[in-house]
Amino acid sequence: MKSIGRISFVLGTAGAVVNVPLVHRPKTVSQFKAAWERRAARAALLGADEDGSLPQIPLTDTEDAEYYGEVQIGTPAQKFQVIYDTGSSNLWVPSAKCTNCKEKGAKYDLTKSSTYSQNGQTFALQYGTGSCSGHLSNDAVTLAGLTIKNGTFAEVTTEAKDVFGQAPFDGILGMGPAAAAIDKVPTPMHMLVEQKLVEKNVFAYYLSSDQKTGSMLTLGGTDDAMHTEDFHYAPVAWTAKVLPYWLVKGSDLKVAGASTGACGFLVGCQLVVDTGTSVIAAPGKAADTLLSKIGNVSADCSNVKSLPIVTFTINGKDFDLDPDFYVLRQKDEHGHEECGLGIQKLAGIPMWILGDPFLRKYYTVWDGDQNRVGFALAKQPAAEVVV
């Protein structure tokens, strides 16, 4: 679901012992930092942390509104930047035959891949803010250093240029439930598990704030370094059988500690937990009530600290969201910071979307094996110390 607001090498020698003289040249603080970042990047490309833990994909944060990472397709690899989107379930990238894709973006060229195989089935996908169409193909698909053999994906030959034409990413890689996949195409996560590249159908997102580095998608489990408390799980709601999203039930919504009455007794608030939406979206009258209780956000950011805390109650636990998370800070054309409310009204469907503002505060795990979603307070980066 797209944004409605505006992803060991061992050498050995036999026999003899070889002594190699080493020269030590002390590094400056900045050199140490740069070396650490290079090691982290290399570990990510190899598909695991340096301690041999779960495969991870670094994500780039664009103004706290879009988070995207690399996927590689073909042999040799053709690289693409994609939104790792839990609100959809298909992988697509622009085709070299795309008629209106952005000129400077990456495009998949089947003639340059030795592992391509023809599929040819037509493909069309509608998002909340745009659409794309093309056909399915099969090729090697690599994410976090793990290569899916004969993975199915879509080559897009036409896309909504007004939506995707200026985007900093090339395509979308769906991490949603298998039931939501267009044409019943296996999801990338399903293919990873099926080919035994990861053991568990579990993945977790850490989304940074203020365009800081460190946003990360972990495959096959969670990363304890990313959160400060135990996970609190909520089962996927029964309504997901009708609306195949990562849906959980909220029992209450509070503003400044007072219930808004927005969540009904039986159905509650149906919450889609979606990394591909840059805001929190609320339906109809519930949105009107919530927005009126929060009040206006000053464009110059002067009243952000005085805005109330919004609280979602999910499976018996309160999750507070303070204005530092639900207010979006972006730069205007002159480079000046402007603030806007990262909560919007969603017309047409009685669902909420817990998008990036919520997920930046809570490290979130999607557990397909046990059909549940878990939340834990994310570890916020410490202020940088200059020595």
Side-chain angles (χ1 to χ4, degrees):
M1 188 174 296
K2 284 307 304 128
S3 166
I4 63 175
R6 88 89 201 126
I7 232 114
S8 82
F9 186 68
V10 180
L11 289 174
T13 56
V17 174
V18 178
N19 293 318
V20 180
L22 303 176
V23 178
H24 175 224
R25 290 188 175 90
K27 291 183 173 64
T28 65
V29 172
S30 61
Q31 287 172 327
F32 268 117
K33 182 178 179 181
W36 182 89
E37 290 174 347
R38 287 195 299 272
R39 287 195 298 270
R42 179 178 179 273
L45 289 173
L46 291 173
D49 289 338
E50 290 190 316
D51 61 3
S53 60
L54 296 170
Q56 295 184 313
I57 300 168
L59 303 175
T60 298
D61 172 10
T62 301
E63 295 187 325
D64 294 347
E66 293 168 330
Y67 295 82
Y68 53 90
E70 186 176 275
V71 66
Q72 301 176 6
I73 302 177
T75 308
Q78 300 175 43
K79 298 180 180 180
F80 302 89
Q81 295 296 319
V82 294
I83 297 283
Y84 282 83
D85 175 25
T86 62
S88 64
S89 301
N90 291 80
L91 166 61
W92 66 264
V93 296
S95 169
K97 299 178 182 179
C98 185
T99 59
N100 68 339
C101 296
K102 56 180 180 280
E103 293 183 6
K104 295 183 179 180
K107 299 179 182 66
Y108 173 76
D109 188 341
L110 62 88
T111 65
K112 295 181 179 180
S113 175
S114 63
T115 46
Y116 162 80
S117 62
Q118 185 176 3
N119 182 304
Q121 181 177 338
T122 58
F123 171 87
L125 184 57
Q126 178 69 50
Y127 293 99
T129 55
S131 62
C132 60
S133 60
H135 59 268
L136 300 180
S137 292
N138 291 81
D139 207 334
V141 177
T142 301
L143 50 159
L146 308 174
T147 299
I148 299 167
K149 296 179 180 178
N150 203 38
T152 305
F153 67 100
E155 285 188 62
V156 165
T157 54
T158 305
E159 66 180 22
K161 192 171 184 178
D162 59 331
V163 176
F164 302 114
Q166 300 300 319
F169 54 89
D170 304 304
I172 294 177
L173 190 150
M175 300 291 286
I182 300 299
D183 300 322
K184 299 182 179 179
V185 174
T187 66
M189 195 66 201
H190 173 82
M191 290 186 283
L192 285 172
V193 175
E194 185 178 54
Q195 296 186 21
K196 302 187 185 305
L197 297 172
V198 296
E199 181 179 353
K200 298 177 181 179
N201 184 12
V202 178
F203 54 91
Y205 283 75
Y206 175 88
L207 302 184
S208 64
S209 297
D210 303 323
Q211 301 189 73
K212 293 184 174 69
T213 58
S215 296
M216 195 73 68
L217 166 59
T218 300
L219 303 175
T222 61
D223 185 341
D224 288 343
M226 300 293 188
H227 58 100
T228 62
E229 63 181 14
D230 293 338
F231 283 99
H232 181 80
Y233 287 93
V236 170
W238 63 268
T239 47
K241 294 179 180 179
V242 180
L243 298 168
Y245 294 110
W246 288 105
L247 268 169
V248 297
K249 178 183 176 181
S251 58
D252 198 6
L253 173 71
K254 305 183 185 76
V255 177
S259 176
T260 63
C263 300
F265 174 71
L266 292 178
V267 178
C269 289
Q270 297 296 302
L271 310 171
V272 180
V273 190
D274 180 15
T275 59
T277 299
S278 62
V279 297
I280 291 173
K285 293 181 180 179
D288 294 336
T289 299
L290 176 58
L291 295 174
S292 67
K293 290 184 178 296
I294 291 174
N296 294 323
V297 176
S298 298
D300 63 2
C301 308
S302 59
N303 72 333
V304 171
K305 295 298 182 183
S306 65
L307 296 173
I309 290 175
V310 175
T311 303
F312 292 88
T313 303
I314 303 172
N315 200 24
K317 181 178 173 62
D318 285 348
F319 292 90
D320 291 339
L321 196 66
D322 46 278
D324 282 339
F325 291 93
Y326 69 71
V327 171
L328 299 181
R329 298 173 182 265
Q330 298 181 330
K331 302 289 186 182
D332 65 15
E333 62 273 18
H334 303 295
H336 301 137
E337 186 176 65
E338 287 189 352
C339 281
L341 187 60
I343 301 175
Q344 294 184 5
K345 187 173 182 176
L346 180 64
I349 52 177
M351 295 191 307
W352 294 70
I353 301 176
L354 288 184
D356 296 340
F358 185 87
L359 303 177
R360 286 190 288 114
K361 182 167 184 180
Y362 295 101
Y363 182 55
T364 304
V365 56
W366 289 256
D367 186 342
D369 290 337
Q370 299 191 54
N371 207 29
R372 61 182 184 172
V373 181
F375 308 99
L377 188 65
K379 183 175 291 185
Q380 299 302 320
E384 185 170 305
V385 178
V386 180
V387 296

